[in-house]
Amino acid sequence: MAVLQSQTQQPQNLQIHRLPQSKFVDAVRWLSPFSAFDKFVVLSLFDPNSSSSTIELHSLDFPNSENPKPILSPLSSSSPSLSRTSSLKTSQSLIAFSTFSGSLDFLSPNYSSSGEVTLDSSLSLQDDGFHVGPISCIDVLERECVSVGEDGRVNLVSFGGGKTSYRRVFDSDGLVSYTAVKWASPLEFATGGLGCSLQWWDQRRKPGEPALQFKGKWSQNISSGVMHSIDIHPSRKHTCMAGGSSGTVFAWDLRWPQQPIILSGVGIGERPSHSISESEVWEVQFDCHLQSSNTASVSSSMLPVMMCSEEGILAVLEPGAEPIELLEEPCAINSFDIDKQNYSDIICSLEWESVAILSRS
């Protein structure tokens, strides 16, 4: 696929460290530290030799100023699974992951008095009626998880006290597939799916159906694409950011639900002048490290957004400004995560069995 030729800004004071792994890295996430001196990373790894997946907890250490290259040290891992991980999320001291076989599992880090850290397999949900086939995406908020799948089901999972239960929010009977989901509040969440469409669910206003929907008048190659990732503005929950097929990244404001702000890709209306990608955008997150530099823009209140793509690009986008390219790899960047404890630190998974750690100043 052709790569869009666009001007990009070069980041200043950026340190990049690539850490090879022995297995494919499907997803990466930061985990909230136990103390101010800890830094934990969760990896979803796939071993092609045994066709099995594991979730591993690692500590991230920087030995000293003379040798600033970080070291990932494995602490604990889950039992091997014959089904590959489809989605990985962390929340406080909890790890949740779903699989392509339709199961959902929760892991809890256990800190012993001796300083040893282990992963306890606390809960698992593998009910035949939960999902049919792969779970596309999950998100966790407090003691509840939302899951969506290619089967068109949207489920809410409650967990705690050693047990799990779920209730069906919606079932399209396979007529609609959902591929992304993100909590906005304990009663609201957003989903995305085929045709780069978005839905807003409010369990108070319209339980059992979307309260708002966006279906853009996309060009033909986008109308058959999907949304891969959604993020919600940290202080303005009415603003969503979405990324999907053909390099598409756009903001969706619930106050103007049919007027998206296109940041990248082939969107409705005119193509952005600073599009950086035409491939699949696998993940988007609002970037709190940088404030918008485009103060004259009507959308200047919107935070910049970070994205990663199948083309191996990790970049920061904002309306009306040139993209800031942080990383360009010869392989896909499957996922990334911005450290909520220190927004200058980023971790991303490279398709060719590597993890990249980026530090901004």
Side-chain angles (χ1 to χ4, degrees):
M1 179 175 287
V3 178
L4 283 172
Q5 299 297 319
S6 65
Q7 293 182 339
T8 59
Q9 300 181 58
Q10 297 302 313
Q12 297 180 348
N13 301 321
L14 176 66
Q15 293 184 342
I16 302 173
H17 303 282
R18 295 170 180 83
L19 308 177
Q21 304 296 306
S22 61
K23 304 173 185 177
F24 289 125
V25 185
D26 286 337
V28 293
R29 290 289 180 260
W30 296 105
L31 183 68
S32 297
F34 182 68
S35 72
F37 303 101
D38 297 325
K39 210 168 184 65
F40 295 136
V41 170
V42 180
L43 306 180
S44 173
L45 302 177
F46 176 74
D47 185 351
N49 295 322
S50 61
S51 297
S52 62
S53 293
T54 55
I55 303 298
E56 294 190 1
L57 178 63
H58 292 244
S59 65
L60 180 64
D61 302 301
F62 293 84
N64 51 65
S65 58
E66 296 180 357
N67 180 21
K69 186 174 182 178
I71 298 176
L72 276 177
S73 303
L75 299 175
S76 183
S77 66
S78 66
S79 300
S81 169
L82 295 180
S83 183
R84 200 159 181 172
T85 300
S86 60
S87 184
L88 173 69
K89 294 295 170 65
T90 57
S91 176
Q92 298 301 322
S93 59
L94 179 76
I95 302 167
F97 67 98
S98 60
T99 68
F100 284 98
S101 65
S103 64
L104 176 63
D105 291 86
F106 300 94
L107 301 173
S108 299
N110 182 31
Y111 306 92
S112 67
S113 57
S114 62
E116 183 181 5
V117 183
T118 58
L119 283 180
D120 294 336
S121 180
S122 55
L123 297 169
S124 181
L125 181 57
Q126 301 181 12
D127 190 275
D128 291 338
F130 183 45
H131 279 283
V132 179
I135 297 176
S136 301
C137 190
I138 61 172
D139 197 27
V140 179
L141 182 66
E142 297 176 353
R143 306 304 293 179
E144 198 162 37
C145 176
V146 57
S147 67
V148 297
E150 296 178 5
D151 56 4
R153 294 179 178 178
V154 180
N155 293 320
L156 291 182
V157 181
S158 299
F159 54 91
K163 61 180 181 179
T164 62
S165 62
Y166 73 92
R167 66 180 179 89
R168 183 77 32 79
V169 175
F170 184 76
D171 189 350
S172 72
D173 294 321
L175 298 177
V176 178
S177 293
Y178 296 104
T179 51
V181 65
K182 182 70 176 180
W183 282 109
S185 75
L187 294 172
E188 299 165 295
F189 57 89
T191 59
L194 186 65
C196 286
S197 61
L198 293 176
Q199 303 81 31
W200 183 265
W201 305 76
D202 188 331
Q203 300 176 70
R204 298 163 300 185
R205 292 171 53 194
K206 286 191 174 182
E209 63 177 306
L212 283 174
Q213 297 194 59
F214 168 72
K215 295 181 179 180
K217 297 179 180 179
W218 304 111
S219 59
Q220 185 175 359
N221 62 326
I222 296 294
S223 61
S224 60
V226 298
M227 289 281 87
H228 295 300
S229 178
I230 301 172
D231 198 17
I232 307 294
H233 195 290
S235 61
R236 300 177 180 89
K237 69 177 182 181
H238 54 75
T239 303
C240 307
M241 191 64 65
S245 298
S246 298
T248 303
V249 178
F250 67 91
W252 184 43
D253 193 319
L254 302 184
R255 297 170 298 179
W256 301 283
Q258 301 306 318
Q259 300 178 34
I261 301 173
I262 312 298
L263 276 70
S264 176
V266 184
I268 58 175
E270 297 182 359
R271 176 183 294 186
S273 59
H274 302 297
S275 291
I276 195 171
S277 173
E278 281 188 339
S279 69
E280 303 298 305
V281 173
W282 294 121
E283 187 145 18
V284 293
Q285 290 185 25
F286 280 104
D287 186 10
C288 297
H289 178 72
L290 297 173
Q291 295 296 321
S292 175
S293 60
N294 190 12
T295 56
S297 170
V298 295
S299 55
S300 61
S301 60
M302 181 175 24
L303 288 169
V305 61
M306 191 175 295
M307 53 79 73
C308 68
S309 74
E310 179 68 21
E311 294 168 333
I313 294 174
L314 181 72
V316 178
L317 313 175
E318 63 174 301
E322 294 181 357
I324 301 174
E325 188 175 289
L326 302 177
L327 200 59
E328 184 176 5
E329 295 294 310
C331 63
I333 300 179
N334 298 327
S335 69
F336 73 91
D337 198 20
I338 301 174
D339 189 355
K340 302 302 184 293
Q341 310 298 320
N342 182 3
Y343 292 119
S344 63
D345 290 343
I346 308 157
I347 186 170
C348 56
S349 58
L350 311 183
E351 186 179 45
W352 290 352
E353 302 180 2
S354 292
V355 169
I357 307 291
L358 292 82
S359 297
R360 301 174 287 181
S361 58

